[in-house]
Amino acid sequence: MESRIEFTIERSWSRESSRPSLHQTGHQFSRMMSDDKPDLFRNISRKPGLQIWTINKMQMDPVPAKGFGNFFEGDCYIVLYIKQNRGSSQSIDIHYWIGNTSSQDEQGAAAIYVTQMDEFMGGSPIQHREVQGCESPRFRSYFKNGLIYKKGGVASGFDHVDTNVYNVLRLLHVKGRKHVTATEVEVSWNSFNNGDIFLLDVGKAIVQWNGPQSNTREKLKAVVLAQDIRDRERGGRAQIGVVEGGDERSSPELMNVMTSVLGHRPAQLKPATVDDQPNMAQNNNVRLYHVFENGGNLVVQEVATQPLTQSLLRSGDCYILDHKGSSVMVWKGKNASQEERREALNRAVGYIKAKNYPPNTSVEVMSEGGESAMFKHLFKSWREKGQTQGLGTTYSVGKIAKVDQVKFDVMELHARPELAAQQRMVDDASGDVKVWRIENLELAEVDPSTYGQFYGGDCYLVLYSYQRAHQLQYILYMWQGRHATTDEITACAYQAVNVDNKYNGAPVQVRVVMGKEPRHFLAIFKGKFLIFEGGTGRPGVVNPNLAARLFQVRGTSEMNTKATEVPSRASSLNTNDVFLLKTDHKCYLWYGKGCSGDEREMGRAISDVLSRQDKQVVMEGQEPAEFWVALGGKAPYASDKKLQMVELRHSPRLFECSNQTGRFRVTEVDDFDQSDLDEEDVMLLDTWEEIFLWVGKFANQTETKESWNSAQEYLRFHPAGRDPDTPIIFIKQGYEPLTFTGWFNAWDPHKWSGLNITTVDKGPSRVSEGSYRAPGGPVSSPPLYRVHGIGQSSKTSTPSSPSTPRTPTSPRESPSAPWLSHSSGSGTYVNPKLLINQDPSDLPDGVDPTQKEDYLSDADFERLLGTTRLDFHRLPKWRQNDLKKKAGLF
């Protein structure tokens, strides 16, 4: 066993030994302003929203809303975000942001202000330390249009907001897809590279130069950032133009602007730079330390490694949780001394220095009762104060369900999607069911009279159909027996694709591992779900004839009951459950002392599936001798009432899975909503009991494949010791069930109706050929030139989005050409009549005869080929050609 670690941190950890330590400066500064604290914070608003201050001469100066998102590299900032949660509760986050060239004194002052603001607001906020260029996903989520790093600071005489001033000359290097950052760089061609985007800001004009290797989403986000600069800093009176790198000749007017400032463009620019490796937030090396004072030094003593339990945290102490390679978190017990609580942030910084971690390591400080979702996710279990058990809670091995039965009202589920998500129920399970078994790697229909009887040696496909808003919806469950062969499991996945294609990609796909069945899966079998440990349900196959078979029954109603075969020995019994013991001559119903009347009733109902013989009821403690003989003799079994504790809930987390930067990355999205679901990517939603993989319309095959692998790796290496058999649910854009949408505060089922790739921001704003609009800003006059299909090349489709249609004609051509059926910023489509069964010589100019399907609109594509563009590109080439032949496109 690995030995525990203990070390000390000296109280002084300033950069320069000749200067007073941050701790010493802090005490002096804190005493100096302690009497003024009520006045200092009296103007803080308690309303939900964002508030920002900068440190100016050791004082907090408020930043006007116009300046939000602009950060001077020489300054430190305090950012307060208050969020209104469901109900009446609020969550509060306080960040202090450190510019790369800010002074040590300013950093110390910002840290002290944050601590005192935390005390002023009752100790409930979570404190965060943010370093320029390494900000947390939560911090970046506040600035939807991006972050701008400006040179200088308050001390250098720069104004933070200088609206309607045009004597500007700067070059911004733009990076990022989900949350972009823009850094001021030298105004020279030497600053450019082929992979990124640059904004040349000359006051009355902002020229966006797109690197030839930059991707669609980066271009769109950069446009939004340029609009934001125009509207907030120029009063909406600057013009914006876009130059496609490598095709500068198409934009002569804009290139005149650039060359007048930068000189002539060199023939060769720097190659694309590799993005920094993202923080995967999935490092499984987690350690918990107890932090205390000893002889004037700070002692850090290791308490435990993963998996951690909540019981390790004592209210009278403070702890450091080291998620190595990811973040350092400080937990303050509610009964810890005031001195310990005040020193929490300094202790985290000192700990980082003592461990030789990078100075930009993420830091969070939180109080007992106000823990962040990330903190709680690092613990095996977490129980909120006053948390009660409720419908839909799941239980671990050795635990039973003590759940009050509440009848599902399907209308209430639709009216309250969050309830459907929490209970993991898309409806009341009254829809239609069809079951297939994998036999000889093919699908074989199962006799409906045996629905609900599953064998561990088999794999099954279960298709559930139901109505929602007068539209037919589907869920396709893939049940994998514990003893099924690898070939059968592979065939199950393959046949699921075939069934999915048959229904035009509409089914939600759910992988179900034997013994880990989700609640809705149980509900569709109406309390008659029975799992045989081994064997097969195939007709004509004789299963081993066991002298006795024992089944453990769990559940209180038709909505949550199942019977699972367990080893037929006395040690398998549990005082809190109902068991069925079937022998050659008799079937026993054994009722443990801790089971409820509802559980007994469901035990009796499911026993009729197992055996038509008369059932003998056996009460715990009154078993006949033959009962024990059938189990091989009497033996000790689980009889502890503590086994009734429930598995505990965690907050959901959303991750973006993308390879659009050239390599596959998984990045967490903080404080998410529906607008964070990126159509070009795969998103992973972790609700702890289930993992959802949401596939955007334009996600490519690599992303889909890698995200599936990443979901399994995510579970396998989770620091909290997650169950690797947690259900993974595969969902396609446009076919989201309530169990998914209910985790979002607001869900708009029509959000993506009629949208195309020209959408530049997840809000009401879009780029069109005639005008620009930033969120909340005015519509400008037409830019310096017409946008040439932002994010689309007139020559080829975006490599990362194979499903995006080609543009067969230059966007400069008139959209009134007779062979066009549709024209938009995302592409120009051909009337299907001019493509079907036409010789290459008869096709419109510019149409590739081998790729006719690329010139169809999405609606025509699905109508003619019977599948979505995304699913079509997932098919093997021979299958694609077969569909094209049937449609007359080959």
Side-chain angles (χ1 to χ4, degrees):
M1 180 178 292
E2 189 174 4
S3 60
R4 290 287 183 257
I5 300 171
E6 180 177 317
F7 58 91
T8 60
I9 302 174
E10 294 185 5
R11 295 306 305 263
S12 176
W13 49 66
S14 64
R15 291 179 182 173
E16 304 173 38
S17 57
S18 61
R19 299 177 59 186
S21 70
L22 177 58
H23 176 77
Q24 294 165 341
T25 303
H27 272 300
Q28 297 167 2
F29 182 57
S30 180
R31 285 196 303 268
M32 180 179 70
M33 60 174 288
S34 60
D35 296 334
D36 300 330
K37 186 167 59 175
D39 291 337
L40 179 67
F41 300 126
R42 68 178 182 275
N43 292 325
I44 293 179
S45 173
R46 297 276 183 161
K47 295 180 180 179
L50 192 64
Q51 300 169 71
I52 303 179
W53 297 264
T54 186
I55 304 301
N56 182 10
K57 298 179 180 178
M58 308 297 281
Q59 299 296 318
M60 287 173 54
D61 276 356
V63 175
K66 290 181 179 179
F68 286 6
N70 293 272
F71 291 88
F72 281 81
E73 297 180 339
D75 290 342
C76 290
Y77 293 79
I78 296 173
V79 176
L80 172 66
Y81 182 70
I82 301 177
K83 179 184 177 182
Q84 185 67 49
N85 299 319
R86 291 176 180 175
S88 58
S89 65
Q90 290 183 334
S91 58
I92 304 174
D93 292 89
I94 305 174
H95 307 253
Y96 81 98
W97 184 89
I98 300 172
N100 285 342
T101 59
S102 61
S103 70
Q104 185 80 357
D105 288 340
E106 288 177 318
Q107 295 177 26
I112 293 166
Y113 278 125
V114 165
T115 301
Q116 295 198 334
M117 187 182 292
D118 178 276
E119 292 180 3
F120 178 77
M121 304 192 78
S124 62
I126 296 176
Q127 302 173 37
H128 308 260
R129 176 176 174 268
E130 309 284 355
V131 178
Q132 179 183 340
C134 301
E135 295 86 356
S136 66
R138 175 171 290 273
F139 185 86
R140 290 173 181 262
S141 71
Y142 304 150
F143 308 99
K144 297 297 185 183
N145 294 334
L147 298 173
I148 300 176
Y149 304 139
K150 295 186 174 183
K151 294 187 180 297
V154 173
S156 64
F158 283 88
D159 292 326
H160 279 72
V161 181
D162 213 358
T163 307
N164 301 336
V165 173
Y166 300 105
N167 57 338
V168 176
L169 177 59
R170 63 179 177 175
L171 181 65
L172 297 176
H173 181 188
V174 183
K175 291 185 72 67
R177 296 179 58 254
K178 181 64 68 175
H179 301 297
V180 300
T181 59
T183 307
E184 282 193 36
V185 293
E186 179 189 357
V187 184
S188 166
W189 283 112
N190 293 330
S191 300
F192 286 68
N193 69 68
N194 287 317
D196 292 327
I197 296 171
F198 294 82
L199 298 180
L200 179 62
D201 185 0
V202 296
K204 291 188 177 182
I206 302 171
V207 182
Q208 175 177 327
W209 183 90
N210 296 332
Q213 297 175 33
S214 60
N215 62 59
T216 302
R217 186 61 57 177
E218 291 172 329
K219 296 175 183 180
L220 301 181
K221 282 291 188 179
V223 169
V224 175
L225 180 62
Q227 294 172 333
D228 193 49
I229 294 172
R230 176 205 62 198
D231 293 333
R232 289 201 292 171
E233 298 187 21
R234 312 291 148 71
R237 287 185 283 274
Q239 290 187 312
I240 301 172
V242 180
V243 176
E244 292 294 339
D247 189 26
E248 287 87 354
R249 292 182 180 179
S250 299
S251 309
E253 297 176 25
L254 294 175
M255 283 305 297
N256 287 338
V257 175
M258 296 190 72
T259 54
S260 66
V261 176
L262 302 169
H264 290 290
R265 181 196 189 284
Q268 296 292 329
L269 296 176
K270 295 177 183 176
T273 58
V274 178
D275 290 335
D276 293 334
Q277 181 66 30
N279 180 354
M280 300 294 285
Q282 198 47 67
N283 190 313
N284 66 334
N285 189 342
V286 177
R287 296 178 183 273
L288 183 68
Y289 297 90
H290 178 209
V291 185
F292 58 93
E293 297 280 352
N294 186 9
N297 288 326
L298 185 67
V299 179
V300 180
Q301 184 177 48
E302 184 180 333
V303 175
T305 59
Q306 80 278 357
L308 304 177
T309 59
Q310 189 179 3
S311 60
L312 294 168
L313 303 173
R314 297 197 299 263
S315 296
D317 295 321
C318 289
Y319 297 84
I320 288 178
L321 191 153
D322 183 358
H323 193 191
K324 193 171 183 180
S326 174
S327 61
V328 170
M329 306 178 189
V330 181
W331 184 88
K332 302 179 295 184
K334 60 185 178 182
N335 297 327
S337 68
Q338 191 175 31
E339 178 68 15
E340 284 183 313
R341 295 172 65 84
R342 284 180 174 174
E343 286 296 306
L345 193 54
N346 280 340
R347 287 175 173 178
V349 176
Y351 175 84
I352 288 173
K353 186 177 180 66
K355 296 284 284 186
N356 292 318
Y357 287 170
N360 58 13
T361 300
S362 171
V363 174
E364 284 187 9
V365 179
M366 65 206 72
S367 297
E368 181 177 0
E371 297 85 1
S372 67
M374 182 63 220
F375 183 83
K376 290 185 283 191
H377 259 258
L378 298 176
F379 286 76
K380 179 69 175 176
S381 61
W382 192 272
R383 185 177 183 84
E384 302 290 355
K385 184 178 180 180
Q387 177 178 319
T388 59
Q389 303 177 45
L391 193 63
T393 308
T394 60
Y395 301 83
S396 296
V397 176
K399 302 180 181 181
I400 69 157
K402 294 296 181 184
V403 183
D404 293 334
Q405 173 57 22
V406 178
K407 182 173 176 58
F408 268 98
D409 182 343
V410 68
M411 295 307 296
E412 184 179 9
L413 291 178
H414 288 275
R416 296 177 56 202
E418 75 279 2
L419 180 66
Q422 292 166 6
Q423 312 307 337
R424 290 155 182 88
M425 296 289 290
V426 299
D427 69 346
D428 60 357
S430 60
D432 296 327
V433 182
K434 190 169 186 178
V435 183
W436 297 272
R437 183 171 38 247
I438 302 298
E439 297 181 10
N440 300 320
L441 309 185
E442 298 292 339
L443 287 182
E445 289 193 30
V446 173
D447 185 345
S449 65
T450 63
Y451 279 9
Q453 300 177 40
F454 285 64
Y455 290 81
D458 290 331
C459 286
Y460 298 82
L461 288 182
V462 179
L463 181 67
Y464 179 77
S465 310
Y466 65 104
Q467 290 278 347
R468 189 178 81 189
H470 306 295
Q471 184 177 357
L472 204 55
Q473 309 282 331
Y474 304 94
I475 301 177
L476 183 60
Y477 292 101
M478 298 169 283
W479 192 91
Q480 301 173 1
R482 184 178 294 117
H483 306 293
T485 66
T486 302
D487 286 345
E488 288 172 329
I489 293 174
T490 302
C492 184
Y494 176 79
Q495 294 296 347
V497 173
N498 290 337
V499 174
D500 183 82
N501 289 336
K502 181 179 178 181
Y503 290 88
N504 295 323
V508 172
Q509 297 180 37
V510 184
R511 183 196 70 152
V512 179
V513 176
M514 176 177 168
K516 308 294 182 181
E517 294 78 16
R519 182 182 178 85
H520 186 264
F521 184 82
L522 298 179
I524 63 180
F525 294 105
K526 306 296 186 292
K528 303 294 179 65
F529 185 72
L530 189 68
I531 301 177
F532 295 90
E533 174 62 27
T536 177
R538 301 177 188 181
V541 177
V542 179
N543 291 311
N545 186 20
L546 303 177
R549 307 188 84 154
L550 184 65
F551 295 82
Q552 185 175 26
V553 181
R554 286 183 174 150
T556 57
S557 73
E558 291 184 351
M559 308 296 284
N560 61 8
T561 297
K562 69 175 176 180
T564 307
E565 185 172 8
V566 295
S568 53
R569 51 177 177 259
S571 58
S572 296
L573 298 174
N574 186 313
T575 190
N576 298 293
D577 287 336
V578 173
F579 285 80
L580 298 174
L581 176 62
K582 185 180 185 303
T583 67
D584 292 336
H585 309 290
K586 191 173 291 187
C587 183
Y588 297 94
L589 258 173
W590 185 86
Y591 294 150
K593 293 179 179 179
C595 68
S596 68
D598 288 337
E599 289 171 322
R600 296 178 187 180
E601 186 64 29
M602 294 314 302
R604 182 177 294 276
I606 205 169
S607 68
D608 292 334
V609 178
L610 181 65
S611 173
R612 296 188 178 277
Q613 299 171 315
D614 290 337
K615 317 301 185 303
Q616 179 178 344
V617 174
V618 176
M619 305 300 293
E620 182 179 6
Q622 302 176 19
E623 300 87 354
E626 57 268 23
F627 177 86
W628 295 117
V629 170
L631 292 177
K634 197 171 183 179
Y637 56 84
S639 57
D640 191 345
K641 293 292 183 181
K642 292 181 181 179
L643 294 174
Q644 298 177 30
M645 290 180 61
V646 302
E647 197 67 38
L648 306 168
R649 293 174 53 189
H650 292 72
S651 299
R653 299 171 69 193
L654 183 69
F655 298 86
E656 178 187 43
C657 309
S658 173
N659 69 347
Q660 293 208 17
T661 59
R663 59 183 174 181
F664 187 76
R665 302 167 60 132
V666 179
T667 309
E668 183 162 10
V669 180
D670 200 85
D671 195 20
F672 62 86
D673 57 30
Q674 184 184 0
S675 66
D676 290 307
L677 298 176
D678 195 327
E679 292 186 276
E680 294 187 328
D681 291 326
V682 176
M683 312 296 292
L684 185 153
L685 177 66
D686 178 10
T687 67
W688 194 265
E689 294 181 18
E690 294 170 327
I691 299 290
F692 292 92
L693 282 177
W694 180 91
V695 181
K697 184 187 301 182
F698 301 113
N700 58 52
Q701 286 181 306
T702 301
E703 289 170 335
T704 305
K705 177 182 177 182
E706 290 299 326
S707 61
W708 185 269
N709 295 334
S710 293
Q712 297 182 34
E713 293 294 300
Y714 174 84
L715 289 170
R716 188 175 299 118
F717 297 110
H718 196 284
R722 298 280 289 280
D723 187 340
D725 289 336
T726 298
I728 298 176
I729 302 173
F730 193 82
I731 294 173
K732 294 173 185 173
Q733 180 182 346
Y735 299 101
E736 298 86 356
L738 285 173
T739 47
F740 177 81
T741 61
W743 294 107
F744 296 79
N745 285 334
W747 185 269
D748 178 9
H750 307 294
K751 176 177 176 60
W752 296 295
S753 299
L755 290 190
N756 54 47
I757 202 66
T758 56
T759 304
V760 298
D761 191 55
K762 297 181 172 103
S765 311
R766 298 190 189 179
V767 171
S768 68
E769 293 184 349
S771 63
Y772 288 89
R773 177 183 175 89
V779 177
S780 74
S781 57
L784 295 178
Y785 88 126
R786 200 170 68 172
V787 180
H788 289 185
I790 296 297
Q792 288 288 336
S793 166
S794 61
K795 300 176 181 179
T796 182
S797 60
T798 307
S800 59
S801 302
S803 59
T804 305
R806 297 185 180 189
T807 306
T809 182
S810 168
R812 289 177 182 258
E813 294 182 17
S814 169
S816 61
W819 50 269
L820 301 182
S821 66
H822 173 74
S823 179
S824 75
S826 64
T828 308
Y829 305 123
V830 178
N831 189 319
K833 294 180 180 179
L834 300 177
L835 298 175
I836 297 174
N837 297 321
Q838 296 292 332
D839 292 330
S841 59
D842 296 328
L843 293 172
D845 292 341
V847 173
D848 184 348
T850 66
Q851 303 289 337
K852 294 180 183 179
E853 69 278 6
D854 285 353
Y855 303 87
L856 295 171
S857 68
D858 287 344
D860 289 336
F861 190 101
E862 294 187 27
R863 179 173 57 82
L864 291 172
L865 295 168
T867 181
T868 64
R869 206 179 292 272
L870 175 63
D871 288 337
F872 177 82
H873 285 281
R874 288 176 174 164
L875 298 174
K877 197 66 177 178
W878 65 268
R879 179 59 177 153
Q880 292 181 14
N881 291 339
D882 184 51
L883 291 177
K884 287 161 65 175
K885 284 180 181 178
K886 292 180 180 179
L889 297 173
F890 191 74

